[in-house]
């Protein structure tokens, strides 16, 4: 099929992409583990606010880099520019294989599990596979239809979450919890439990960099990209703080402690016995745009690698409507395999280390280029530099240390995955060099 350039993506669609990628299953599940160590309402909301500030600091840094080098593919392109093609290939290898496929599988399975509240008796796995391939079919059609559907479902997600927040505060809560600072708060804020909870909060905020994966498709990257990153991330910060405030306002801490399905528990307090079904429908509706975002941005990495690496040239081809068919099918195929083998949670465990390292190196690359290449044009400069990138680096380094300490085997597996990417890069470059030498003889 002949190739065609993808249509320009609007600022609204890029912002919707950021929101959809960020608001996944994490915000509906992680509070239960936080209240086991922290009982202060102020400290719990501060935790989500700090996580949002760190995400914004990362967005400021990524906006400068991606506006400087406006090529779709995220860290693959940015690390290549900052450190060279080997490090970029390593990041691309992680993303193109399981970096996006595992979250897709997790979101699809979560859809199937929460859909049971609406369709009791239907197995989660077929539902997960069905929604995955329905979203894939939309992405394969290309054109502006997929963009419009993405924006529409994201707006629906925001409306449902806003309705839940309003209903939660309107019904009133009689829980003995306060959101104002109290004398015992400093001890909880500087506790080990607060630090560990921050790691999980940052995972819930992942996706703030989504628009950098399609920056090459934006009509005006220096204008659209920073607005999409800042508005999308800022909106999610407000939603996350308000949503967790509703959970705490309506539901006893004892019922939330140690529970995964905190949204379902809070939903019963807000809407009565039908709350579980309503919240299940809310989460299912919210997971569809999350899947759409992951299936949109993930293949952009494989496309860029296909353009650069002759052995992967197949994945750079596009349909008449601009859809990278092979790249989309590769990601959907890996995600389906992970769903069928139920191994996606294990994959997420060991790739988290590598993905966090890539984000750390990317923001560090901003500082490196400021020092080594001050002459480069910078259409968009990171707000608050150097404080904002240093905040992001400090928190990300803390997360890496935590991962190594708490999950040493998974971190080692992630490191081996990164080394495998570097080894593969060495093999592909050697083969390309040998082929070039033979052609010159």
């Amino acid at each position: 099929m002949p190739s065609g350039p993808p249509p320009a993506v609007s600022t609204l669609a890029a912002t919707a992409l950021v929101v959809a990628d960020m608001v996944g299953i994490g915000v509906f599940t992680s509070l239960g583990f936080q209240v086991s160590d922290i009982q202060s309402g102020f400290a719990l909301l501060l935790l989500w606010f700090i996580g949002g500030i760190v995400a914004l600091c990362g967005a400021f840094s990524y906006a400068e880099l991606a506006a400087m080098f406006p090529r779709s593919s995220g860290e693959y392109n940015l690390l290549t520019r900052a450190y060279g093609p080997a490090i970029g290939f390593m990041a691309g290898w992680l993303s193109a294989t399981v970096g996006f496929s595992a979250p897709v599988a997790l979101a699809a399975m979560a859809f199937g599990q929460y859909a049971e509240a609406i369709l009791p008796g239907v197995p989660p796995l077929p539902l997960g596979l069905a929604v995955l391939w329905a979203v894939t079919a939309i992405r394969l059609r290309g054109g502006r239809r997929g963009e419009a559907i993405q924006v529409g479902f994201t707006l629906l997600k925001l409306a449902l979450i806003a309705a839940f927040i309003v209903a939660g505060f309107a019904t009133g809560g009689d829980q003995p919890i306060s959101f104002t600072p109290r004398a015992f708060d400093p001890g909880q804020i500087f506790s080990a439990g607060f630090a560990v909870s921050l790691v999980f909060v940052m995972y819930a905020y992942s996706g703030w960099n989504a628009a950098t994966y399609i920056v090459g498709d934006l009509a005006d990257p220096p204008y659209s990209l920073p607005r999409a990153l800042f508005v999308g991330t800022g909106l999610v910060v407000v939603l996350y703080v308000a949503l967790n405030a509703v959970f705490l306002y309506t539901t006893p801490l004892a019922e939330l402690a140690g529970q995964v399905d905190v949204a379902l528990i809070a939903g019963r307090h807000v809407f009565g016995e039908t709350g579980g079904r309503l919240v299940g429908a809310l989460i299912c509706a919210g997971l569809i745009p999350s899947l759409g975002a992951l299936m949109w941005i993930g293949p952009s990495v494989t496309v860029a690698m296909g353009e650069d690496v002759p052995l992967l040239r197949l994945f750079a081809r596009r349909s008449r409507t601009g859809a990278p068919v092979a790249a989309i099918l590769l990601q959907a195929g890996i995600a389906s395999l992970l769903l069928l083998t139920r191994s996606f949670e294990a994959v997420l465990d060991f790739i988290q280390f590598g993905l966090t390292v890539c984000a750390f190196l990317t923001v560090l690359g901003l500082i490196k280029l400021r020092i080594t290449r001050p002459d480069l044009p910078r259409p968009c400069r990171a707000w608050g530099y150097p404080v904002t990138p240093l905040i992001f680096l400090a928190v990300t380094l803390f997360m890496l240390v935590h991962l190594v300490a708490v999950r040493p085997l998974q971190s080692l597996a992630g490191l081996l995955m990164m080394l495998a990417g570097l080894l593969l890069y060495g093999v592909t470059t050697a083969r390309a060099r040998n082929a070039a030498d033979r052609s010159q003889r």
Side-chain angles (χ1 to χ4, degrees):
M1 289 183 290
S3 299
V9 176
S10 67
T11 305
L12 175 61
T15 305
L17 192 65
V18 173
V19 173
D21 197 22
M22 291 181 73
V23 186
I25 199 66
V27 69
F28 297 108
T29 58
S30 59
L31 182 64
F33 301 103
Q34 295 158 18
V35 299
S36 298
D37 297 317
I38 306 169
Q39 284 74 48
S40 162
F42 174 78
L44 287 165
L45 294 191
L46 181 64
L47 183 70
W48 287 92
F49 180 75
I50 290 174
I53 294 299
V54 174
L56 280 170
C57 289
F60 293 145
S61 300
Y62 270 60
E64 176 174 323
L65 286 170
M68 290 169 63
F69 311 116
R71 185 191 186 194
S72 298
S73 64
E75 286 88 359
Y76 169 71
N77 174 50
L78 302 181
L79 291 179
T80 297
R81 298 284 191 159
Y83 302 101
I87 303 299
F89 187 93
M90 176 199 70
W93 158 255
L94 287 174
S95 296
T97 51
V98 290
F100 284 99
S101 299
V104 165
L106 182 61
M109 180 53 71
F111 178 92
Q113 291 171 342
Y114 280 96
E116 281 190 296
I118 311 166
L119 303 169
V122 179
L125 181 58
L127 286 173
L129 286 170
V131 72
L132 166 59
W133 282 98
V135 171
T136 299
I138 293 172
R139 297 308 320 161
L140 288 172
R141 295 192 65 176
R144 290 196 172 275
R145 183 183 298 272
E147 179 182 325
I149 293 174
Q150 183 69 44
V151 172
F153 268 103
T154 302
L155 291 176
L156 174 63
K157 170 193 279 195
L158 292 176
L160 291 173
I161 294 175
F164 180 83
I165 292 171
V166 171
F169 284 120
T171 56
D174 54 358
Q175 305 309 315
I177 192 164
S178 173
F179 300 129
T180 59
R182 291 185 177 182
F184 60 84
D185 282 332
Q188 296 201 28
I189 292 170
F190 294 103
S191 67
F194 190 91
V196 171
S197 294
L198 183 60
V199 175
F200 293 100
V201 166
M202 290 310 303
Y203 291 161
Y205 272 109
S206 62
W208 49 263
N209 58 346
T212 63
Y213 287 89
I214 60 160
V215 63
D217 298 333
L218 298 178
D220 185 7
Y223 174 87
S224 297
L225 179 67
R227 283 162 177 77
L229 293 177
F230 304 160
V231 173
T233 304
L235 182 59
V236 171
V237 174
V238 174
L239 283 177
Y240 276 10
V241 173
L243 194 57
N244 281 279
V246 167
F247 293 158
L248 296 169
Y249 184 68
T250 59
T251 312
L253 292 183
E255 291 187 32
L256 296 175
Q259 300 300 314
V260 174
D261 53 348
V262 293
L264 295 178
I265 296 170
R268 295 189 187 100
H269 282 270
V270 175
F271 299 110
E273 289 303 316
T274 60
R277 181 169 296 182
L278 289 172
V279 174
L282 183 156
I283 294 176
C284 286
L287 284 170
I288 293 174
S290 296
L291 277 165
L294 291 165
M295 290 303 302
W296 186 353
I297 64 179
S300 68
V301 181
T302 316
V303 169
M305 295 178 72
E307 292 170 349
D308 297 340
V309 181
L311 289 176
L312 304 177
R313 193 60 47 82
L314 167 68
F315 298 107
R317 297 176 183 172
R318 294 182 181 271
S319 67
R320 291 185 179 87
T321 57
V325 175
I328 293 173
L329 290 176
L330 174 67
Q331 182 168 302
I334 296 174
S336 299
L337 182 62
L338 292 174
L339 261 176
L340 292 170
T341 59
R342 306 293 180 91
S343 59
F344 48 87
E345 290 181 340
V347 172
L348 279 173
D349 276 344
F350 85 80
I351 64 170
Q352 195 62 55
F353 179 83
L355 296 177
T356 306
V357 168
C358 289
F360 181 89
L361 290 176
T362 301
V363 176
L364 185 64
L366 168 69
I367 298 175
K368 174 182 180 292
L369 290 174
R370 281 282 190 110
I371 296 171
T372 60
R373 295 297 308 275
D375 56 309
L376 288 174
R378 289 173 168 82
C380 169
R381 287 181 171 267
W383 183 87
Y385 179 91
V387 176
T388 49
L390 289 176
I391 290 174
F392 181 86
L393 290 173
V395 175
T396 306
L397 182 61
F398 166 77
M399 291 173 61
L400 289 171
V401 172
H402 172 80
L403 284 172
V404 172
V406 176
R407 298 179 176 178
L409 293 180
Q410 291 91 331
S411 299
L412 177 61
L415 179 62
L416 293 176
M417 185 77 174
M418 296 165 64
L419 293 176
L422 292 174
L423 178 62
L424 183 60
Y425 173 78
V427 171
T428 56
T429 53
R431 290 189 61 176
R433 193 180 306 114
N434 292 336
D437 291 341
R438 286 195 299 268
S439 65
Q440 292 175 359
R441 292 173 185 170

